[in-house]
Amino acid sequence: VTLFFVSLGMLIVVPTAKVIVAALALSALVVASRFLTVLPMLRVLKLGTRIGVLSSLHLGQISEFGLVIVLLGVGLRHVDAEIVSLIVLVLVLSSTGSTYLIQFSHRIAGLLVRGSETILADRHTKGLTAKVPAEVVLVGFFRLGSSLANDFVRDGADFAVIDFNPV
C-alpha cells in the first residue's frame, strides 16, 4: 500500500493555476452531484430532506479508487500526468473539505432544510409543533424510553416523546 502512494506521488507534477481551478470546480461538482443523486433517492424512500442533506454532505468526497483507475489509465498511456495531478488534488480537496462538511453537517443541514421547506416540504413532518404541553418529556424512545412510556401509559400519566428516527 505504501509503495502505491509513493509511486503515485512520483507521478504528480506541480499544479498550474488551470489545474487548481479545475480541481476546485470538480470538488464542488462532486458535492453537488451527491445532492442531485442521494437526496432525491432518500426522499423517495421517505427518509426526509434532513437525512438526505446529511447523507449528501457526508458523502461529499471522491474515493481512492479513482486514483487506481487513473493510474491504470497512465499505465495504458490514456491519461497524462496533469490529469493525475488533477485527480489527486480533487481527492485532497474533497477529503479535507468533507471533514468540515461532516463536522458542521447538522448546522448546514438545518440551514438548507429550513431554506427549502417550501420547495421540498416533507409530508411526515408537517403539523409538528415545538410546544410540548406534557408534564414529562422523554428524550429518546429506544429501550429505556419505550419501557418508561409503557409505564406512563399504564399509570395514565401525561407525557410526550421527542425522538429522531428516520425510518
Side-chain angles (χ1 to χ4, degrees), residues 29 40 42 52 73 78 82 91 95 100 106 137 142 149-150 152 162-163:
L29 181 67
L42 292 178
H78 293 293
E82 191 173 59
L91 175 70
S95 297
Y100 296 104
H106 289 284
V137 177
F142 192 52
N150 288 331
F152 290 151
I162 298 173
D163 195 16

Side-chain angles (χ1 to χ4, degrees), residues 102-135:
I102 291 169
Q103 184 177 1
F104 299 110
S105 63
H106 289 284
R107 288 186 200 159
I108 296 168
L111 292 172
L112 292 176
V113 170
R114 199 173 308 120
S116 67
E117 284 175 345
T118 56
I119 300 168
L120 300 172
D122 287 329
R123 289 184 299 261
H124 66 277
T125 58
K126 286 183 179 177
L128 295 178
T129 61
K131 296 180 181 179
V132 181
E135 291 182 17

Side-chain angles (χ1 to χ4, degrees), residues 69-104:
I69 299 297
V70 167
L71 287 180
L72 288 174
V74 168
L76 296 172
R77 294 190 177 106
H78 293 293
V79 178
D80 65 355
E82 191 173 59
I83 299 298
V84 174
S85 294
L86 175 66
I87 298 301
V88 170
L89 195 53
V90 170
L91 175 70
V92 169
L93 288 172
S94 65
S95 297
T96 304
S98 71
T99 302
Y100 296 104
L101 287 176
I102 291 169
Q103 184 177 1
F104 299 110

Side-chain angles (χ1 to χ4, degrees), residues 37-48 51-53 55-56:
T37 56
V38 175
L39 178 62
M41 293 309 300
L42 292 178
R43 287 188 48 79
V44 166
L45 294 171
K46 296 183 176 27
L47 292 177
I51 297 298
V53 169
S55 298
S56 299

